[in-house]
């Protein structure tokens, strides 16, 4: 349209108004001329169409007149009676007989083609043999037939003789094609075999060979055809195999003498059809001519040998012995089995999921278990082969297991490679050095877990936390607070979520091949085979490949840890973030990847609870652990071991860097360094008794705080623990951290002792004050950095001996008299210091050094700035509980006990009873849980707040 508009504008620009009118007239004249040409062309074509229709109608009328005339001639000929009582001479009778045979010989090919097109191959073969018989009668098959007067008068017979061989090959070809068809009925197959036997003059054994060869070709044709549907192809193969055995029984099997035949199982159909075809059976006599030929006028002139013609075999059709039938069928099954296994194995390559394999298996099961395929199957197999036959177990089951194993291996190999790649990407991001502004938010949380723990996010609490209890939530519903409580960072959550989703997809695919409820159901008696007989094998394959995938991931983690072990540096190194990520990852995999456990256990939903350990079971014997559960526990143990190894690398790097700084400060041997690390001492008044019996008051100064480098060491350790989520560190790791740190600190003090023992002239002398401070620092460090559970270990005994040596050296620089005076006060200061710093250094002390026993109130002499200590371990006050006043009556024994307890409580002061720790919980315990009103601790919405 734009081009035409441009042309119009060009015309208006280039021509005047008169020229434009002339152009318009020319265009209109051209349009009218085209219209006229179109009218003439349509008119001529219409006239041609009318003439063609008239010609067709005239041809139809002419054909009808011709047919009417022919019918009139036929009626006139049949109505004309012959002269009564006139007998034809023998020469004329033989002439009419030969003419009738010639007429029948000309009619036979058309009858044969009609029978072949209708699928009636046995009548076609019989007519073909009748034609051969007619040619022999007329002496048309002899070598001198060329000079026969009949062929001289009827040359068309030459063409009939030449076409006879073509008819025979066509009948044979179509009959053998019917044998390859798996949907042919028993009677149709029997007639096709009879036709082949009559045309080829073969025996029943040859017919059996032809039948089995045709079915073998049908199997190869099914396997080599384009893949329109693998399920349909496999089902067609099974249907063809079962149909072949059924039809072999119906056609070739004969009941032994003395046994009654089973009316539900046809047999010997080939031999009965042969008897009726060859006229041995009276029901089959009457010739081979069709009824429409018998109505012809020339039929009565046919000789008796033609009318009553019956084809015959040169040799008698003896029944096939059962031994020969069994051997032949077994050889055929063995020969076809190799082709079927090769072909089905090739087909199953295109099945990419176990759900597809399960669909094919179920389709085969439904086919073989149907009424048509399972009817008297055991009896047929026993008659033919002398043994039960299951084509699924003999041909397909192992192929399906092999393909399932390949799919499982490929699936878990893919998970392993993707997990390795995901781990490499995560570690690469974690090892990037940069300021906090250059790192992403997720990487900042990985570098400092404390930011993750103490930051709020919308997903901390689920939206239905107020009304849905923990028990009503699914096993995968995890809130953000639960993740923070376990220090599972977003990067760890993302990795585990990705891995778990892939494991879930793989598990669902494998479970589609297994029974739905997890237990193998019992198949019905009419079932062709047990679909889930290999369920245990499938579960074992799943378990092995899942464990192999986990071990591959652990191998990648171990490889990364080994490469990072030699490159670790003091705190602040980016490599440490990667090591910590791998430690948290191995620790979180069993919990954040629930489908990992299900893959190892091979179950869909129900996961058995792990039995309690032997230590918790007491003296009784431990519960027996199933092999699947033992395998899962082994996987968890390997993950935990790898996590502990990563934490050990981190703890050794952290302690090494911090203690090196501590050691440098400790070994500085200048007056300035001593003053820089010194802290304020406390002044204590003491009263001493002189020899005369009078008391003398004096003041002593003792350290009450550790040196600055000691405080910096402990505080830096707590900072590092807090940065990585110290409350989630394994106890073994924390104990190893304290042990290693204490060992290195002791080595620093021993090095200091060696320096002082050398007594170099340029070294700063070890005064009594500094010895007191060093002694105070060492004893404080030994208390803080010693775990309670390590008291009996040999390393602890060796460590204590080293500490005693250093303490003896330091006490040697203190006046013995002053040491006796200072020791009680020094111990008191040390105890108070430990209590003061139990919260500050709580990540190091844990619960071993929590001072639970509270002595009497401090004396008036000790006026120190100490926080008042609570009388119980409970840090936060208990929530008020709404108690119901109504209580049900208890048993007499319980009532008596309660009365006694109330009487005893009335004697105690009310203030003491209220001040006792846990009094509210003890009050709850005295009431029956069944009748007590639900407390806030038992309400679903409150108990699920941190889940």
């Amino acid at each position: 349209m734009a081009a035409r508009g441009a042309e119009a504008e060009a015309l208006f620009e280039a021509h005047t108004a008169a020229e434009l009118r002339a152009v318009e007239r020319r265009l209109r004249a051209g349009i009218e001329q085209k219209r006229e040409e179109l009218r003439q062309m349509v008119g001529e074509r219409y006239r041609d169409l009318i003439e063609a229709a008239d010609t067709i109608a005239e041809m139809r009328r002419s054909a009808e007149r011709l047919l009417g005339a022919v019918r009139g001639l036929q009626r006139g000929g049949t109505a004309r009676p012959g002269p009564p009582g006139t007998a034809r001479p023998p020469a004329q009778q033989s002439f009419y007989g030969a003419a009738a045979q010639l007429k029948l010989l000309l009619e036979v090919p058309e009858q044969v083609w009609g029978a072949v097109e209708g699928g009636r191959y046995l009548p076609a073969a019989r007519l073909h043999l009748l034609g051969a018989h007619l040619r022999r009668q007329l002496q048309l098959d002899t070598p001198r037939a060329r000079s026969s007067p009949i062929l001289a008068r009827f040359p068309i017979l030459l063409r009939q003789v030449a076409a006879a061989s073509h008819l025979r090959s066509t009948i044979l070809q179509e009959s053998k094609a019917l044998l390859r068809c798996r949907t042919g009925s028993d009677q149709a197959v029997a007639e096709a075999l009879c036709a082949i036997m009559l045309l080829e003059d073969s025996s029943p054994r040859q017919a059996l060979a032809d039948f089995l060869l045709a079915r073998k070709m049908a199997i190869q044709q099914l396997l080599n055809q384009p893949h329109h549907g693998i399920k349909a192809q496999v089902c067609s193969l099974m249907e063809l195999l079962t149909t072949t055995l059924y039809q072999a029984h119906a056609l070739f099997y004969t009941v032994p003498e003395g046994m009654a035949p089973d009316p539900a199982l046809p047999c010997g159909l080939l031999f009965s059809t042969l008897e009726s075809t060859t006229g041995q059976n009276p029901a089959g006599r009457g010739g081979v001519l069709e009824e429409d030929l018998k109505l012809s006028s020339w039929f009565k002139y046919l000789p008796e040998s033609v009318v009553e013609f019956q084809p015959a075999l040169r040799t008698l059709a003896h029944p096939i012995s059962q031994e020969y039938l069994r051997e032949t069928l077994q050889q055929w099954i063995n020969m076809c089995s190799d082709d079927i296994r090769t072909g089905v194995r090739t087909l199953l390559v295109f099945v990419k999921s176990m759900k597809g394999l399960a669909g094919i298996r179920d389709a085969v099961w439904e086919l073989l278990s149907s009424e048509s395929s399972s009817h008297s199957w055991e009896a047929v197999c026993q008659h033919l082969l002398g043994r039960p036959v299951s084509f699924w177990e003999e041909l397909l089951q192992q192929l399906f297991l092999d393909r399932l194993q390949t799919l499982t291996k490929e699936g878990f190999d893919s998970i392993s490679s993707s997990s390795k790649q995901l781990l490499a990407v995560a570690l690469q991001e974690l090892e990037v050095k940069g300021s906090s502004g250059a790192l992403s938010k997720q990487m900042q949380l990985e570098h400092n877990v404390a930011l993750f723990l103490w930051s709020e996010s919308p997903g901390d609490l689920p939206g239905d936390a107020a009304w849905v209890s923990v028990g009503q939530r699914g096993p995968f519903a995890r809130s953000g607070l639960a993740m923070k409580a376990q220090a599972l960072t977003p990067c760890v959550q993302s990795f585990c979520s990705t891995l778990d989703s892939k494991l879930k997809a793989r598990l669902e695919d494998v479970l589609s091949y297994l029974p739905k409820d997890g237990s193998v159901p019992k198949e019905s008696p009419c079932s062709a085979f047990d679909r889930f007989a290999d369920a245990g094998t499938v579960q074992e394959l799943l378990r092995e490949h899942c464990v192999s995938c986990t071990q591959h991931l652990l191998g990648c983690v171990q490889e990364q840890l080994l490469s990072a072990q030699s490159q670790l540096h003091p705190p602040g190194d980016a490599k440490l973030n990667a090591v910590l990520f791998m430690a948290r990852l191995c620790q979180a995999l069993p919990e954040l990847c629930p489908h990992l456990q299900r893959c190892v256990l091979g179950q869909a939903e129900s996961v058995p609870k792990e039995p309690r350990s032997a230590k918790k079971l007491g003296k009784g014997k431990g519960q027996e652990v199933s092999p699947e559960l033992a395998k899962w526990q082994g996987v968890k143990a390997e993950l935990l071991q790898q996590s502990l190894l990563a934490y050990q690398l981190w703890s050794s790097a952290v302690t090494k860097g911090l203690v090196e700084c501590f050691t440098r400060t400790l070994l500085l041997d200048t007056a300035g360094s001593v003053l820089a690390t010194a802290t304020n001492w406390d002044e204590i008044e003491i009263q001493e008794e002189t020899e005369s019996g009078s008391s003398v008051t004096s003041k002593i100064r003792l350290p009450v705080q550790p040196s600055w480098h000691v405080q910096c060491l402990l505080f830096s350790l707590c900072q590092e623990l807090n940065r990585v989520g110290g409350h989630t560190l394994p106890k073994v790791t924390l104990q190893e951290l304290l042990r290693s740190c204490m060992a290195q600190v002791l080595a620093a003090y021993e090095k200091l002792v060696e320096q002082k023992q050398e007594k170099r002239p340029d070294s700063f002398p070890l005064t009594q004050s500094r010895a007191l401070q060093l002694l105070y620092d060492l004893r404080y460090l030994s208390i803080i950095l010693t775990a309670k559970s390590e008291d009996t270990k040999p390393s602890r005994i060796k460590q204590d001996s080293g500490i005693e040596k250093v303490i003896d050296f330091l006490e040697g620089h203190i006046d013995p008299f002053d040491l006796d005076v200072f020791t009680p006060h020094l111990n008191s200061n040390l105890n108070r210091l430990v209590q003061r710093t139990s919260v500050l250094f709580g990540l190091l002390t844990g619960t071993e050094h929590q001072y639970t026993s509270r002595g009497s109130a401090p004396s008036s002499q000790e006026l120190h700035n100490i926080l008042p200590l609570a009388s119980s371990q409970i840090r936060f006050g208990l929530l008020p509980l709404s108690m119901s006043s109504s209580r049900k009556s208890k048993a007499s024994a319980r009532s008596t006990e309660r009365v006694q307890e109330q009487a005893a409580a009335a004697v105690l002061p009310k203030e003491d009873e209220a001040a006792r720790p846990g009094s509210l919980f003890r009050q709850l315990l005295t009431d029956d849980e069944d009748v007590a009103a639900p407390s806030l601790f038992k309400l679903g919405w409150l108990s699920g707040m941190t889940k």
Side-chain angles (χ1 to χ4, degrees):
M1 294 297 293
R4 293 179 181 178
E7 291 178 1
E9 292 180 359
L11 285 174
F12 278 100
E13 292 175 357
H15 298 83
T16 61
E19 292 175 348
L20 289 174
R21 291 191 184 92
V23 171
E24 181 184 5
R25 285 194 295 271
R26 286 196 301 272
L27 288 176
R28 291 186 182 278
I31 292 171
E32 290 299 329
Q33 183 179 359
K34 295 295 182 183
R35 285 180 179 175
E36 184 61 27
E37 292 177 357
L38 182 60
R39 291 192 192 98
Q40 292 178 2
M41 183 178 64
V42 171
E44 291 175 358
R45 295 292 183 271
Y46 185 71
R47 284 193 296 271
D48 294 342
L49 180 61
I50 295 300
E51 291 176 0
D54 293 342
T55 304
I56 292 172
E58 185 62 27
M59 291 172 63
R60 182 183 299 169
R61 287 192 294 270
S62 299
E64 290 175 354
R65 287 195 298 269
L66 180 60
L67 288 175
V70 171
R71 292 191 187 97
L73 289 174
Q74 289 179 347
R75 287 193 299 270
T78 55
R80 181 179 178 181
T86 58
R88 296 185 179 88
Q92 189 178 7
Q93 186 71 23
S94 62
F95 175 76
Y96 284 163
Q101 292 181 54
L102 288 174
K103 174 64 176 175
L104 180 59
L105 185 59
L106 293 175
E107 291 288 340
V108 163
E110 184 178 354
Q111 296 292 327
V112 171
W113 284 116
V116 170
E117 290 177 357
R120 297 179 292 112
Y121 304 117
L122 182 57
R126 296 173 67 189
L127 286 172
H128 175 72
L129 293 176
L130 176 61
H133 176 69
L134 289 173
R135 289 193 296 274
R136 287 193 300 270
Q137 287 285 97
L138 297 174
Q139 297 181 356
L140 299 179
D141 289 340
T142 60
R144 298 179 180 180
R146 293 285 183 180
S147 59
S148 173
I150 296 177
L151 290 179
R153 293 187 179 185
F154 302 100
I156 194 173
L157 293 177
L158 289 172
R159 185 176 299 176
Q160 296 292 331
V161 174
S165 60
H166 179 64
L167 282 175
R168 180 178 181 276
S169 62
T170 301
I171 297 172
L172 288 174
Q173 182 179 356
E174 294 297 330
S175 299
K176 292 180 179 179
L178 177 63
L179 296 182
R180 293 193 296 269
C181 180
R182 67 179 183 276
T183 58
S185 63
D186 297 346
Q187 184 62 40
V189 175
E191 292 183 357
L193 282 173
C194 288
I196 295 172
M197 291 178 67
L198 291 175
L199 293 177
E200 295 184 344
D201 198 12
S202 57
S203 63
R205 291 192 175 187
Q206 183 62 36
L208 174 61
D210 292 339
F211 173 71
L212 296 179
L213 180 61
R215 290 304 168 91
K216 185 177 185 298
M217 293 175 62
I219 290 174
Q220 293 176 349
Q221 184 179 0
L222 273 175
L223 293 173
N224 295 329
Q225 69 180 5
H227 301 156
H228 296 298
I230 299 175
K231 182 191 297 185
Q233 286 182 262
V234 176
C235 291
S236 299
L237 281 172
M238 293 297 103
E239 183 182 4
L240 183 59
L241 289 174
T242 54
T243 305
T244 300
L245 288 187
Y246 274 119
Q247 291 183 347
H249 185 278
L251 295 174
F252 302 100
Y253 180 77
T254 55
V255 181
E257 295 181 1
M259 293 183 61
D262 187 358
L265 283 176
C267 59
L269 186 58
L270 175 66
F271 304 102
S272 60
T273 305
L274 272 177
E275 290 177 358
S276 62
T277 299
T278 57
Q280 300 175 11
N281 190 349
R285 295 182 179 179
V288 299
L289 295 177
E290 302 289 341
E291 292 297 329
D292 57 344
L293 291 177
K294 295 181 180 181
L295 297 177
S296 302
S297 58
W298 46 267
F299 178 76
K300 57 185 178 181
Y301 300 108
L302 290 174
E304 185 69 19
S305 62
V306 177
V307 175
E308 298 297 334
F309 172 78
Q310 292 289 351
L313 293 173
R314 294 181 182 178
T315 59
L316 295 177
H318 295 288
I320 302 175
S321 63
Q322 292 188 4
E323 292 78 9
Y324 181 81
L325 183 61
R326 180 179 299 121
E327 292 177 3
T328 305
L329 286 175
Q330 188 60 53
Q331 290 177 3
W332 177 80
I333 291 176
N334 296 337
M335 185 170 50
C336 293
S337 297
D338 298 335
D339 296 340
I340 291 174
R341 290 190 185 97
T342 304
V344 173
R345 185 180 290 109
T346 304
L347 290 176
L348 293 182
V349 173
F350 298 96
V351 181
K352 300 299 183 182
S353 67
M354 300 180 195
K355 186 176 181 181
L357 286 177
I360 298 174
R361 179 201 60 189
D362 295 342
V364 172
W365 179 81
E366 291 176 0
L367 172 67
L368 298 181
S369 301
S370 61
E371 182 65 25
S372 59
S373 298
S374 61
H375 175 65
S376 302
W377 174 253
E378 295 181 357
V380 170
C381 296
Q382 192 66 32
H383 291 168
L384 295 178
L385 300 170
R387 64 178 180 87
V389 176
S390 175
F391 289 125
W392 167 259
E393 296 176 358
E394 295 181 8
L395 298 178
L396 298 182
Q397 184 177 18
Q398 190 59 43
L399 297 178
F400 275 64
L401 282 177
D402 293 343
R403 181 58 184 163
L404 190 142
Q405 182 177 5
T406 302
L407 288 175
T408 306
K409 184 178 183 303
E410 291 176 353
F412 279 101
D413 287 347
S414 175
I415 294 176
S416 300
S417 60
S418 61
S419 300
K420 181 179 180 180
Q421 184 178 3
L422 189 63
L423 177 65
V425 172
L427 295 181
Q428 186 178 1
E429 292 179 356
L430 285 169
E431 292 176 1
V432 174
K433 296 182 180 180
S435 61
S436 59
L439 297 175
S440 62
K441 180 66 176 178
Q442 193 172 9
M443 290 299 105
Q444 293 180 23
L445 299 181
E446 289 292 331
H447 289 182
N448 191 354
V449 181
L451 292 178
F452 170 65
L453 297 179
W454 300 108
S455 62
E456 294 184 2
S457 59
D460 285 347
L461 290 178
D464 55 355
W467 55 85
V468 177
S469 64
V470 180
Q472 295 175 348
R473 292 202 190 100
F476 306 120
R478 302 178 185 274
S479 63
L481 280 181
M483 297 294 102
K484 291 180 178 180
Q486 302 175 28
L488 300 178
T489 56
C491 195
V492 174
Q493 296 179 39
S494 176
F495 187 97
C496 293
S497 176
T498 303
L499 178 60
D500 189 61
S501 62
K502 295 178 180 179
L503 290 174
K504 179 182 178 182
R506 181 54 45 195
L507 178 63
E508 290 177 350
D509 191 22
V510 174
L511 290 178
S512 62
Y513 198 83
L514 300 175
K516 294 183 179 179
D517 56 354
S519 60
V520 179
K522 294 183 179 180
E523 297 287 358
S524 59
C526 62
S527 177
F529 59 89
D530 187 2
R531 287 181 293 172
F532 307 112
D534 50 4
T537 305
V538 175
Q539 290 178 350
E540 187 63 27
L541 284 175
L542 173 65
R543 186 176 303 111
E544 289 178 0
H545 287 91
C546 183
V547 171
S548 176
C549 176
T550 307
Q551 291 176 348
H552 182 269
L553 180 60
L554 284 174
C556 297
V557 172
Q558 187 175 7
E559 182 181 351
Q560 294 289 342
L561 291 177
L562 289 176
S563 64
Q565 185 174 4
S566 59
Q567 304 175 10
L568 291 179
H569 298 288
D573 185 13
K575 284 281 185 181
L576 286 177
N577 299 320
V579 172
L580 286 170
F581 169 77
M582 288 184 281
R584 285 191 289 264
L585 178 63
C586 295
Q587 191 178 10
L589 276 176
E591 184 174 357
L592 294 188
C593 294
H595 290 94
L596 177 63
Q597 180 180 6
R598 293 182 177 179
C599 286
V600 175
L601 296 177
Q603 298 180 1
E605 293 297 335
S606 60
V607 176
K609 294 183 179 180
E610 297 184 16
R612 299 173 62 187
S613 61
K615 293 182 180 179
K616 295 182 180 180
L617 291 174
K619 297 182 180 179
K621 294 183 179 180
Q623 300 180 5
E624 294 184 0
V625 180
S626 62
E628 298 82 5
L629 196 56
K631 181 76 73 173
W632 168 242
Q633 291 176 350
V635 171
K636 287 180 62 178
E638 290 181 5
L639 289 170
L640 179 60
Q641 182 181 2
Q642 205 64 35
S643 175
L644 293 177
L645 178 61
Y647 275 126
Q648 183 180 1
L649 292 179
W650 165 81
S651 64
S652 61
V654 167
T655 53
K656 179 180 179 182
L658 294 178
V659 176
E660 282 180 357
C661 181
F662 169 82
T663 304
R664 286 195 301 269
T665 307
L666 179 65
L667 298 180
L668 288 177
D669 202 13
T670 61
S673 63
V674 173
L675 292 176
T677 58
T679 55
N680 190 21
W681 286 25
D682 191 14
E683 188 176 278
I684 303 175
E685 290 185 357
I686 60 173
Q687 292 183 355
E688 297 177 332
E689 186 175 355
T690 60
E691 296 178 356
S692 60
S694 60
S695 60
V696 178
T697 302
S698 60
K699 293 182 179 181
I700 60 175
R701 298 179 63 85
L702 292 176
V704 292
Q705 293 183 6
S707 301
W708 287 119
H709 56 274
V710 174
Q711 297 186 40
C712 289
L713 171 65
L714 296 177
F715 188 72
S716 298
L717 275 176
C718 289
Q719 277 188 317
E720 290 298 322
L721 290 174
N722 186 58
R723 188 180 65 84
V724 301
H727 64 284
T728 61
L729 285 178
K731 189 176 181 180
V732 178
T733 301
L734 188 58
Q735 291 176 353
E736 179 65 22
L737 175 70
L738 296 179
R739 186 198 62 78
S740 175
C741 187
M742 187 61 208
Q744 296 180 40
V745 167
L746 181 59
Y749 275 96
E750 289 176 349
K751 189 178 296 185
L752 176 65
V753 170
E754 292 177 0
Q755 287 184 1
K756 296 304 178 183
Q757 287 178 348
E758 292 179 0
K759 296 181 179 181
R760 292 181 299 182
D762 56 342
S763 63
F764 189 78
L766 184 61
T767 60
Q768 177 172 324
S769 298
R770 192 183 179 198
L772 275 174
Q773 184 66 55
L774 290 174
L775 179 63
Y776 189 80
D777 293 344
L778 180 59
R779 293 183 60 187
Y780 176 66
L781 284 172
S782 65
I783 294 174
I784 296 296
L785 297 179
T786 302
K788 184 178 181 181
S789 58
E790 289 186 348
D791 289 343
T792 58
K793 290 187 177 181
S795 60
R796 174 64 194 275
I797 298 174
K798 181 179 179 181
Q799 185 175 332
D800 289 343
S801 62
I803 293 175
E804 291 298 330
K805 291 180 181 179
V806 177
I807 289 177
D808 292 343
F809 175 78
L810 294 176
E811 288 179 351
H813 290 75
I814 304 174
D815 183 79
F817 176 77
D818 293 343
L819 183 62
D820 293 338
V821 176
F822 294 160
T823 297
H825 301 284
L826 202 63
N827 292 337
S828 177
N829 290 346
L830 195 61
N831 290 334
R832 281 196 298 270
L833 177 64
V834 172
Q835 294 180 22
R836 285 175 181 172
T837 58
S838 62
V839 176
L840 181 64
F841 302 142
L843 287 175
L844 299 177
T845 58
T847 59
E848 288 84 358
H849 297 293
Q850 296 290 336
Y851 284 81
T852 57
S853 59
R854 306 305 183 196
S856 58
S859 62
S860 58
Q861 296 179 357
E862 298 178 352
L863 299 178
H864 300 285
N865 186 14
I866 302 177
L867 292 175
L869 301 177
S871 60
S872 67
Q873 293 187 14
I874 301 175
R875 296 187 179 181
F876 302 99
L878 300 176
L879 292 175
L881 298 166
S882 59
M883 303 300 296
S884 174
S885 60
S886 62
R887 295 286 185 269
K888 294 183 179 180
S889 62
K890 305 292 188 294
S892 59
R894 291 288 302 274
S895 301
T896 304
E897 291 175 3
R898 179 177 295 179
V899 170
Q900 294 174 356
E901 291 172 2
Q902 290 177 355
V907 179
L908 297 174
K910 294 185 178 180
E911 294 79 0
D912 295 343
E913 177 66 25
R916 292 173 61 190
S919 60
L920 187 54
F921 279 115
R922 283 195 298 274
Q923 180 183 356
L924 290 176
L925 290 175
T926 58
D927 296 331
D928 193 5
E929 292 182 358
D930 296 333
V931 299
S935 67
L936 292 179
F937 289 99
K938 299 179 181 180
L939 291 178
W941 68 269
L942 186 58
S943 63
M945 293 291 279
T946 58
K947 299 293 182 182

